[in-house]
Structures are given as C-alpha cells and as structure tokens.
Amino acid sequence: MEAVRSAQEDVFDADEFTAALDEHLSEGRFRLVFVLDSVPPELMTLVAYLEHVTDKLVIDLVAVNSFDLGGTSVVLPQRVTPERHEVTVEKARRKESGTVYHEGSERFEASISEAAPDHREALRRLLRWACDLERRGLARRSTTEGVGRNRFVLRPLLRDEDRSLVDLYNEGGTAGRAYVLFWRSVFERRAPDSIDRVESLSGMRLGQGNWTQNFSDDLLQALTEAYAEAVG
C-alpha cells in the first residue's frame, strides 16, 4: 500500500479527490464502469435508456477478450458504446412501424406546411441550417417519415457514416413541436472538443438522446463547428 502511495503521490491528490467525490455525491452525478466478458444486447438497450432519461449518469461498458498468442495470454479490453446497437434496434423498430426513408430533405420541407403554425419558422431555420451544412460539405441530408405518426426527422448525416451528431424533429402535426435531439456517443467519438461549448449554449448536459426546443443561432453555429470537427 505504501508503494502504491509513493508511486501515485505525484498524480493523486487525496484532498482534490475527496472534494470531487463530495461534489458528485451531492449532485447525484455518477460514472459507472462495467467490465464484462461480453455485452448482451439487453444490457446495451438498458444503458441507452438510462442515459436517455437522465443527464447525471454515464455508463461505460468494457468487453474483455482474451487470446493465446504463441503460448502467451493476451487480454484486449474494448469500450462498447450503445451506438451500433442503437442503429440495429432503431432500424428494426422503424421497419415494424412502417417508417419510410427519403434521400435529401424535400419530404421534411414539405412536412413543414403540416406543422403547427407557431413551429413552422423554427422548422424552416433547422432546414436552412441542415442545407447549409451540406453546402459546406460537412454533412449529407436524409429524412425519415413515421407513417401514421406525423413524425418527420431530418438527419444531417456525417459524410463517411450513417450517423449524425443531431437529428432535427418535426413531430406531431398541427399539435406538434420542433426540436433538436443530440447523440452524445457520436459527439464523444467524432467531435469531443465541441461538447463543452454545445452544453454551455444548450444549457444542458449532452446525454444520449437528450433534446431541446431552444436552438439559438449561437447553438446552431456551435453545431456547425462540431460537424467541422467531425470531418477533420
């Protein structure tokens, strides 16, 4: 134990650790790390749900695989995010619910005339922002339409994968709402340096699937910069 203290004395500050622990306990903010032989889909779904409903819990799942290389045992840990599992689950859910996919943003644009009048200008702002992203070469537009649900989602997809930092929602028809939904796992992987600024301007911690209806020009500019970071 004394050897551990000696080795860590230059990097571990007991007072700082205690103060940080007290602060997190008082706020109810935790980071949980689970190390497993394998990560079942059910656990991935649970983690995605928990991070969706709270902004004070971060869960890391680490899958550990062991290999034998010429008689030497090698252990390889790998952090697993819900993001790939989300894609599989969401595609299956959309297929079951009859979701229709559209290239571009024309269907989203057409849906604005069906939205509640007091949300139309907000939806037009989001549409203009997504179109500007594509003009800059930072994203490509795709729209999903929830048949029978009056839900239209404009997705500014990254140029090199079918994932987006945010999704833009027109939901609920004449009684609906316009909002921006964030994907934290994509931010952490592709635009980590933009997280603090986006959180500051949105007034919330970016959780997996958190959303806001308050998207100022400054926030949209910060999201543009996040996409620029993502494409490097």
Side-chain angles (χ1 to χ4, degrees), residues 191-224:
D193 293 340
S194 298
I195 292 177
D196 287 346
R197 177 163 171 75
V198 172
E199 287 184 334
S200 175
L201 291 171
S202 65
M204 58 187 286
R205 178 185 177 277
L206 295 191
Q208 192 72 357
N210 280 10
W211 56 269
T212 182
Q213 291 183 272
N214 301 314
F215 35 88
S216 64
D217 290 341
D218 286 342
L219 177 57
L220 293 180
Q221 177 59 34
L223 291 174
T224 298

Side-chain angles (χ1 to χ4, degrees), residues 61-112:
L61 298 175
V62 179
V64 178
N65 296 309
S66 60
F67 305 91
D68 185 280
L69 297 178
T72 301
S73 179
V74 178
V75 177
L76 178 65
Q78 181 179 20
R79 183 172 182 268
V80 182
T81 67
E83 125 189 356
R84 179 167 295 182
H85 177 65
E86 287 166 7
V87 172
T88 302
V89 172
E90 185 64 16
K91 284 183 177 179
R93 184 183 299 120
R94 287 170 176 170
K95 183 176 181 181
E96 292 173 1
S97 62
T99 296
V100 178
Y101 296 83
H102 306 275
E103 291 295 327
S105 57
E106 288 77 10
R107 187 64 188 95
F108 184 86
E109 181 176 5
S111 75
I112 295 177

